[in-house]
Amino acid sequence: NVIMGTREDFIDSGVNLLTSAVSLADPVAGLVGTALSPIIASGAKSILPNSLSKREDMRVEEVFRQVVQKIISKLNEGKIPRSDDMYYANEMDIPNAQEIFEGVLLKAREEHQAKKLRLYSDFFANLCFDETINLEHAHFLLTLIERLTYRQFVILAYLSDGKCIATNRWDALFKVANTSELIRYYDFYSEYVDLYNIRLITQTNKMPGFALGMSETKISEMGIKISTLLELNTITQEEIKKIQAYFDAIAEIMARM
């Protein structure tokens, strides 16, 4: 068990490490850290009640630990935490940053895909250093992380280098083809269409149209932003190759139709 003693001991230990790292950083970072450290402590203590199941407990602890480690790592790299009023302002006596952190831990607590836990921690840690993301945008992105499958994030990682996918026949064939060969990839097709519908994937200018089935597609600017924020470049090559295999298999089937 990662907890030595009580849950509060576990939280305080992590926050003390963060506070120490902040105190060694730039004086500006030190001032910001005096706000960030108690926010993280308060957020964690509000989401780790005794009523949590063991599995929920482990998820929350894991994300908390990863957030602290990631922030410390960024401080050691010389990065300065955001200092804007939006992030530290009080709303009903709860700082915005704490509100978001509590949301991260709540969603992580219910997350059944273990691989997505890192995405929650990277999201919040990077948010602490990015003033371009306001409160409303942060809540929107957090909801998006919860909503998407881990494979959809791997798809974004696969596309993040600018690849264009020849999806111009996808809609027509998946809607009319009844072959078991193509149906086995219907879940992958559906996940891709979902990314298109929420504008994380967009059409290229090569074959313009108004639907996925009329165009080549690629990652959108929003998709790139999310890919950077969640550090999807750390997804393993083994997982990336699986996505390539899906695209290759669908292309091969369609070439015979």
Side-chain angles (χ1 to χ4, degrees), residues 26-214:
D26 182 283
V28 175
L31 290 173
V32 175
T34 61
L36 183 58
S37 295
I39 280 171
I40 289 178
S42 297
K45 288 176 181 178
S46 71
I47 307 300
L48 271 172
N50 292 326
S51 60
L52 287 176
S53 71
K54 184 176 180 180
R55 288 182 64 83
E56 290 174 330
D57 204 17
M58 290 174 63
R59 292 177 192 132
V60 175
E61 290 171 14
E62 180 65 18
V63 171
F64 169 81
R65 185 176 59 230
Q66 288 178 358
V67 163
V68 170
Q69 291 173 345
K70 177 68 68 172
I71 292 176
I72 290 174
S73 176
K74 288 184 175 296
L75 289 170
N76 290 337
E77 292 170 4
K79 296 185 178 179
I80 306 300
R82 64 191 295 171
S83 58
D84 55 311
D85 291 340
M86 184 290 295
Y87 204 57
Y88 297 100
N90 288 329
E91 295 288 342
M92 298 179 64
D93 297 325
I94 300 176
N96 292 333
Q98 182 177 329
E99 181 178 284
I100 297 169
F101 188 52
E102 288 179 2
V104 165
L105 296 182
L106 281 170
K107 293 184 185 300
R109 185 179 72 179
E110 305 297 328
E111 182 56 61
H112 66 283
Q113 287 192 288
K115 289 183 177 181
K116 282 178 62 179
L117 294 179
R118 182 190 62 79
L119 303 182
Y120 288 105
S121 55
D122 282 350
F123 164 72
F124 183 78
N126 285 316
L127 194 61
C128 291
F129 295 84
D130 191 343
E131 292 190 7
T132 67
I133 301 177
N134 63 30
L135 182 65
E136 291 75 18
H137 194 184
H139 283 304
F140 167 75
L141 292 175
L142 179 55
T143 301
L144 211 56
I145 296 171
E146 176 189 36
R147 176 186 177 302
L148 299 179
T149 67
Y150 181 73
R151 186 167 65 178
Q152 285 177 299
F153 287 110
V154 183
I155 292 172
L156 291 177
Y158 174 77
L159 297 175
S160 62
D161 62 357
K163 292 184 184 69
C164 294
I165 306 299
T167 51
N168 48 300
R169 295 179 61 211
W170 277 34
D171 268 1
L173 289 178
F174 270 101
K175 286 176 180 177
V176 301
N178 238 355
T179 66
S180 58
E181 216 181 1
L182 201 56
I183 288 174
R184 66 182 294 196
Y185 296 105
Y186 194 82
D187 57 334
F188 183 80
Y189 157 75
S190 298
E191 287 183 328
Y192 196 84
V193 171
D194 184 41
L195 290 172
Y196 174 82
N197 287 337
I198 59 177
R199 301 300 183 259
L200 298 185
I201 288 173
T202 188
Q203 300 175 78
T204 68
N205 293 322
K206 294 180 182 179
M207 301 176 64
F210 296 101
L212 176 61
M214 298 172 66

